[in-house]
Amino acid sequence: MTLFRGLQFLTTVNDLSALPQEGLEVAFAGRSNAGKSSAINTLANHTRLAFVSKTPGRTQHINYFDFGGERRLVDLPGYGYAEVPANVRAHWEKLLGHYLVNRDNLIGLVLIMDARRPLTERDRRMLDWFLPTGKPVHCLLTKSDKLSNQEKIKTLRTVEAEFKGDPRVTVQLFSSLKKQGVEQTEQVVGAWFAAAQRAEQADDENADGIGSTDGL
């Protein structure tokens, strides 16, 4: 079974105090209508796991999905849709900013961007919040099937050039319609979890060594 195929809905919250206390998390974030829910469904090979709305901006909560083994996918509210009331948008931005900066359980961010309109002002704001944490970002350029091969290459190179020299940021093309890019996303996210679990194990071993009184 591949990483995302075992994904199951866990819980939904609208208050940071209600977030699960244990486990490692990878967050999926993106502008409303960028194809975030469709990408999650495609990765999980499940047509209705994440809610896909014909009205962007409808998902107003933080939704948790479980990989098993204390590993989770966090589906963050979409951002940037003009018809969302200003007070709701302000609430989301405060929630997202605090979560991205302060959540210790969070090990990486998958940033969903429409390949036809990448790196919008709010995408850049999301990166401004998150990159100072030092954690990795994987940019998923969705709806790539709507581009010609030449346009795909140009878009990919343009976004990659934006982060040239920053090893924390990786970029790929993705198509939910064509189911293209699934394996690459699994490899990136799987590597994040593996690295975080190794780090946790090393910390535990170091703590055991410091606390040992053998030989005294």
Side-chain angles (χ1 to χ4, degrees):
M1 180 180 291
T2 57
L3 176 64
F4 286 89
R5 295 299 174 92
L7 201 62
Q8 295 183 352
F9 176 75
L10 181 63
T11 189
T12 184
V13 299
N14 194 32
D15 188 326
L16 294 179
S17 64
L19 296 177
Q21 297 301 307
E22 305 297 330
L24 300 171
E25 302 170 1
V26 168
F28 275 55
R31 181 177 169 84
S32 296
N33 206 29
K36 175 165 57 67
S37 294
S38 294
I40 294 172
N41 287 337
T42 298
L43 289 165
N45 196 31
H46 193 309
T47 57
R48 297 181 62 84
L49 183 65
F51 180 67
V52 180
S53 174
K54 293 182 180 180
T55 305
R58 285 282 300 277
T59 304
Q60 301 180 16
H61 299 78
I62 296 176
N63 295 309
Y64 269 76
F65 299 88
D66 189 20
F67 288 108
E70 293 296 314
R71 301 172 303 171
R72 301 188 177 109
L73 184 154
V74 184
D75 182 12
L76 298 175
Y79 55 85
Y81 191 61
E83 292 186 14
V84 174
N87 64 322
V88 175
R89 186 163 60 246
H91 168 72
W92 290 0
E93 292 195 352
K94 181 179 179 181
L95 190 76
L96 289 171
H98 187 80
Y99 171 84
L100 291 168
V101 172
N102 298 299
R103 181 67 170 167
D104 290 337
N105 307 61
L106 182 60
I107 64 170
L109 174 69
V110 178
L111 182 59
I112 309 297
M113 296 186 287
D114 188 326
R116 299 167 297 176
R117 294 178 290 275
L119 295 172
T120 66
E121 178 184 349
R122 285 191 168 89
D123 294 329
R124 293 181 184 277
R125 186 182 306 175
M126 179 69 65
L127 290 165
D128 287 342
W129 280 331
F130 190 73
L131 284 175
T133 68
K135 299 172 185 177
V137 176
H138 188 56
C139 298
L140 217 62
L141 304 178
T142 58
K143 306 184 183 183
S144 62
D145 53 277
K146 298 183 182 296
L147 301 177
S148 67
N149 287 336
Q150 185 175 0
E151 289 170 334
K152 289 178 186 178
I153 294 170
K154 180 180 179 180
T155 299
L156 182 62
R157 288 178 176 173
T158 297
V159 178
E160 286 177 334
E162 185 84 12
F163 306 106
K164 186 177 181 180
D166 191 340
R168 296 171 300 169
V169 184
T170 50
V171 186
Q172 73 163 98
L173 295 167
F174 190 91
S175 170
S176 294
L177 182 64
K178 301 291 186 180
K179 300 187 184 303
Q180 294 174 343
V182 172
E183 184 176 347
Q184 185 177 353
T185 310
E186 287 181 336
Q187 290 174 347
V188 171
V189 174
W192 289 354
F193 278 125
Q197 288 170 328
R198 287 194 299 268
E200 280 192 338
Q201 184 178 3
D203 288 343
D204 290 343
E205 291 173 353
N206 289 336
D208 289 343
I210 293 172
S212 174
T213 59
D214 292 347
L216 297 180

